[in-house]
Amino acid sequence: MTESEALQYLAQAKQYYADANLSQALASAQKAYLFYESMTNNMQALDVFTLLQTIYAYMQCPDECLTLESSIYGSVHALFTENSDQLYSMHLLDLVSQLLHMEQTESAISYLQSALTIMKQTGIPDTELLFLEDCFQAQICFINEQYHAAHMHASKADSLWESCSNSNMDTYGIQNLLLLCSINAKLNHPVESIEFLENLLMQNFLNPYQVISAQLILAELYIKNDMSARALDIYQKYANHPFMTRSLSPSNARAMQYNYGLAFVRLGQYKEALALFQKMNCHGYSMQLAILSHLKDFQAIRTLADSAGSYYLSQIADMLSHYDEELLYTHMSELQYHINLTLDAWIHAGVDAQKTYSYLLNTKYLSLETSWLIENSIPRYEAAQVMQALPADTLLLEYTISYSLEGSSYTVFLVSAKEIHTISLGACESIDQLVTDYCTLIETSRDKDGSDLSCAAQYRMLNSMFRKRLYQPIQSIVEQYEHLILAPAGGLIQFPFALLSTSAKGMLCDTHTLVYCNCGKELINRKVLTSSYYFDAPLIIGAPLAFSMSTLPYAAKEADFVANLFPDVPVYIGEDANIHLFKPDSINAYDLLHIAAHGIFSPDADIPRFGQADWNSLKQQLSESGLLLAGDQLLSCDMIAKLPLSNLKLAVLSSCHSGDSSYRTTEGAYGLRRAMIQAGCSFLLVNLWQIDDEISLTFTKFFYEALIHQSCTPKEAFHRTILALKETLPPYYWAGYQLIL
């Protein structure tokens, strides 16, 4: 081959590359490479090496891409003696982009550190180094599906871009803008990004690859903004484009295929959508099931059920085997949508109730699992294990949220020692609104007497609606059992089930004992409060001296009352009620904890009560919520979760909002109740609302009188206390208490 022919192949490769015809570009570039392979001190050779490396990256060939790196390094340092390090560092940044395009994050991080080190040594301003670091860190977080963290880094990079005087930074600035738009699509913030991308595409300064990327991001944004017809036009335009078939990483290709199918779903073209999701094999299981459920093809659902269930359980097992708390939270928040689409289809297709409930057990509250960390194995639960743990007179009501193409809905699994029933309760949105209205009414009417006709009418209306929505569908089964264990989900975590209307004048607490748990699998291998408890090592705390909050005049009396039940047991009040009582090396000596103090639940405007939230915002909320001790020291949820409380049989948190929390999909409530369970506490008494400390003292006296003097189980003591207070006090003062297993 002559040099003239090699240059001709190089020119052809560049043109094919510019036209996004990667297969032809690769063939021509490889022919040119045969001529220049052994040359280093040659500009055309460097041109061939870098072009071929880029093509390999776009064609998802990481090994071939990195093989060329030594040739590029040699050429740069042979051709440019004065500023070779700086030029090579810029090349390394291109390589990092290529590696991230192939989702080779470990290699990308290594080369990024090398590039930034060289650039720092060659005098690149710190502003530009920080800009580049945030640009690439945003991409890494995006690949790991940490979208809130990606948004933070991309936003920082965007603000730093204005301060970069080096025009070489513009490529990464544009790349970062496109990433920001893609992040907004993932976080359901489409409007501003749609307008920005539409304007950007009209300016005609993006290269062909950036144009395609921008169009695909725009299509996803259109779907999130209910503009599916526009999205479908884009996907159909690029469906058979060479760039689509050869260049996209596997995850990006799946995302495009998924959104393509979703566009068909939104437009009601279900058969076309089903065909696309079937091509995705296991990655399309959840949407296949959702479409089949919508089409009422229940036989097809039952045929696919086992394969789909096994696939999502394997996804969970993979996440747990590479455990990272933040990644587990983030990935489960993404995966739970597909898990719950599958669950809803199973329910409506009449898949065996025990099989469906077993699936729920293995996909719910995974972040509370610790046994697999200790035993180096991932547990699998069966419905039969929960059934065996239940006494004959006890019924477990485990609520869950499932998703369909029509929206989210509540389903309850009624589990007893002999059978399981599955009953759909209706749309989450309407039930959650009822819960909100009911809790508001309870609070606003707490000090009004029975003569307030307006409040009485509202109670009758809401009680009737709750009776119709939550009780009547399960009435015939619930009436067969004396004891109920409630495992609520979503907004129902805040609902006071004691008040659930069972008749025109009756409530659920009139005829049943009520205790709560997170999920049924917690009942396996433990007794369900079937015997009385003897406490010989209580820790009793009351009225900590906190300067930032009002005093609690009855909290000290409450602590003294409890202490008097146990001879020679100290009580910690005022300055003595401090955080030093919760040292990890001593706290596990106690089997009873009673705290009468201020409870703090820190609301965060950025964290919705329902749905997904940024992990860092959630962690901050948990670090700012907890129990206020002496000297304004906060015993936070984060701190409690790390304490060794496995010997603690019962904890009574006699404080405001001790049962309050934010709700996170299948992972349930995040707050004090979760922290205590994570720490190992067996049973927990909390209150959903702000409580009066005088009423709290009254509750405490009734509860411990039954628990200690009448030798009741905590369940029986709790039930007797509720019935006693119910006779004389409005619901606000007693219905918010919950005993949690």
Side-chain angles (χ1 to χ4, degrees), residues 268-566:
Q269 300 178 38
Y270 298 110
K271 291 184 178 179
E272 293 84 348
L274 184 60
L276 279 173
F277 288 118
Q278 286 172 337
K279 289 180 181 178
M280 295 179 67
N281 298 317
C282 58
H283 300 291
Y285 278 155
S286 65
M287 287 303 298
Q288 289 180 57
L289 289 168
I291 294 169
L292 291 169
S293 181
H294 181 82
L295 298 174
K296 301 189 184 305
D297 189 347
F298 299 134
Q299 180 55 49
I301 292 173
R302 289 190 285 270
T303 300
L304 189 59
D306 286 342
S307 297
S310 297
Y311 171 70
Y312 291 117
L313 290 177
S314 72
Q315 292 290 291
I316 290 170
D318 183 62
M319 280 191 295
L320 293 178
S321 64
H322 301 88
Y323 182 74
D324 176 275
E325 190 177 16
E326 179 176 357
L327 287 179
L328 176 61
Y329 171 84
T330 303
H331 290 178
M332 271 309 301
S333 297
E334 297 295 323
L335 186 59
Q336 62 87 25
Y337 176 74
H338 302 285
I339 287 171
N340 287 344
L341 280 174
T342 302
L343 180 66
D344 187 86
W346 284 22
I347 291 168
H348 286 94
V351 174
D352 178 74
Q354 286 201 33
K355 179 188 291 187
T356 305
Y357 184 57
S358 296
Y359 176 74
L360 177 69
L361 292 174
N362 288 292
T363 56
K364 185 178 179 182
Y365 273 95
L366 295 172
S367 56
L368 287 180
E369 287 289 349
T370 55
S371 59
W372 59 270
L373 280 172
I374 299 169
E375 301 170 8
N376 198 29
S377 63
I378 300 169
R380 285 291 174 89
Y381 300 97
E382 298 295 335
Q385 294 175 278
V386 179
M387 296 170 71
Q388 291 167 7
L390 292 168
D393 60 356
T394 301
L395 180 70
L396 167 66
L397 290 77
E398 181 146 4
Y399 296 83
T400 190
I401 297 173
S402 59
Y403 301 150
S404 68
L405 298 185
E406 287 72 34
S408 59
S409 59
Y410 283 113
T411 297
V412 59
F413 288 85
L414 302 170
V415 185
S416 69
K418 59 181 180 180
E419 58 189 351
I420 297 176
H421 297 273
T422 306
I423 297 176
S424 296
L425 300 173
C428 291
E429 185 177 3
S430 58
I431 292 176
D432 288 342
Q433 187 59 56
L434 282 176
V435 171
T436 300
D437 293 344
Y438 198 56
C439 291
T440 300
L441 178 62
I442 291 170
E443 181 174 7
T444 55
S445 64
R446 59 180 170 178
D447 295 320
K448 296 181 180 180
D449 58 33
S451 63
D452 191 312
L453 298 180
S454 174
C455 284
Q458 290 182 66
Y459 268 119
R460 284 196 299 273
M461 179 189 70
L462 288 171
N463 281 333
S464 175
M465 295 176 75
F466 274 118
R467 185 163 64 248
K468 181 179 180 181
R469 298 291 299 273
L470 296 185
Y471 184 69
Q472 288 178 353
I474 62 176
Q475 180 176 358
S476 62
I477 301 171
V478 169
E479 287 179 339
Q480 301 174 35
Y481 298 90
E482 179 182 355
H483 306 293
L484 304 181
I485 301 174
L486 301 157
L492 292 176
I493 292 174
Q494 283 294 106
F495 180 64
F497 277 89
L499 295 177
L500 181 60
S501 175
T502 58
S503 64
K505 294 184 179 180
M507 303 176 185
L508 195 62
C509 65
D510 293 333
T511 51
H512 300 79
T513 66
L514 306 177
V515 293
Y516 292 78
C517 70
N518 289 303
C519 51
K521 63 186 174 186
E522 293 180 336
L523 307 178
I524 299 172
N525 298 325
R526 61 182 288 188
K527 295 180 180 179
V528 189
L529 293 178
T530 54
S531 59
S532 59
Y533 266 67
Y534 174 75
F535 303 100
D536 56 10
L539 174 60
I540 303 164
I541 298 170
L545 186 60
F547 303 107
S548 61
M549 303 287 282
S550 60
T551 58
L552 299 171
Y554 289 91
K557 295 179 181 179
E558 181 179 322
D560 283 332
F561 171 81
V562 177
N564 287 334
L565 298 172
F566 302 96

Side-chain angles (χ1 to χ4, degrees), residues 495-498 514 516 558 652-655 658 684-700 703 718 721-722 725 729 731-740:
F495 180 64
F497 277 89
L514 306 177
Y516 292 78
E558 181 179 322
V652 179
L653 305 186
S654 185
S655 61
S658 55
L684 181 65
L685 185 58
V686 297
N687 197 299
L688 296 174
W689 308 317
Q690 183 174 333
I691 58 174
D692 181 282
D693 66 325
E694 183 178 4
I695 300 298
S696 178
L697 173 58
T698 303
F699 182 95
T700 298
F703 179 71
F718 178 72
T721 302
I722 292 297
L725 296 182
L729 293 173
Y732 181 83
Y733 293 103
W734 55 267
Y737 283 99
Q738 291 185 348
L739 181 64
I740 301 173

Side-chain angles (χ1 to χ4, degrees), residues 165-186:
S165 57
N166 188 341
S167 60
N168 290 325
M169 300 295 114
D170 291 346
T171 298
Y172 303 104
I174 294 170
Q175 181 177 290
N176 186 65
L177 284 175
L178 293 177
L179 180 64
L180 261 175
C181 293
S182 191
I183 295 167
N184 284 335
K186 302 298 184 186

Side-chain angles (χ1 to χ4, degrees), residues 532-533 535 566 592 650 702-715 717:
S532 59
Y533 266 67
F535 303 100
F566 302 96
L592 169 67
L650 174 65
F702 275 107
F703 179 71
Y704 280 99
E705 172 68 24
L707 184 69
I708 303 300
H709 291 156
Q710 299 174 22
S711 300
C712 290
T713 66
K715 176 177 64 178

Side-chain angles (χ1 to χ4, degrees), residues 77-140:
H77 286 81
L79 288 166
F80 308 98
T81 55
E82 293 185 2
N83 57 348
S84 59
D85 284 343
Q86 186 172 340
L87 289 171
Y88 183 64
S89 67
M90 294 304 298
H91 158 73
L92 285 179
L93 293 179
D94 290 338
L95 177 60
V96 171
S97 294
Q98 294 163 5
L99 289 168
L100 290 176
H101 176 77
M102 296 181 285
E103 299 183 357
Q104 302 290 313
T105 53
E106 290 187 11
S107 297
I109 291 170
S110 176
Y111 281 107
L112 176 61
Q113 292 304 316
S114 298
L116 294 177
T117 300
I118 295 170
M119 295 177 84
K120 187 175 181 67
Q121 292 170 348
T122 56
I124 298 296
D126 288 344
T127 300
E128 294 181 5
L129 295 175
L130 290 172
F131 162 75
L132 290 168
E133 189 169 7
D134 276 314
C135 276
F136 288 111
Q137 191 60 49
Q139 292 182 53
I140 292 166

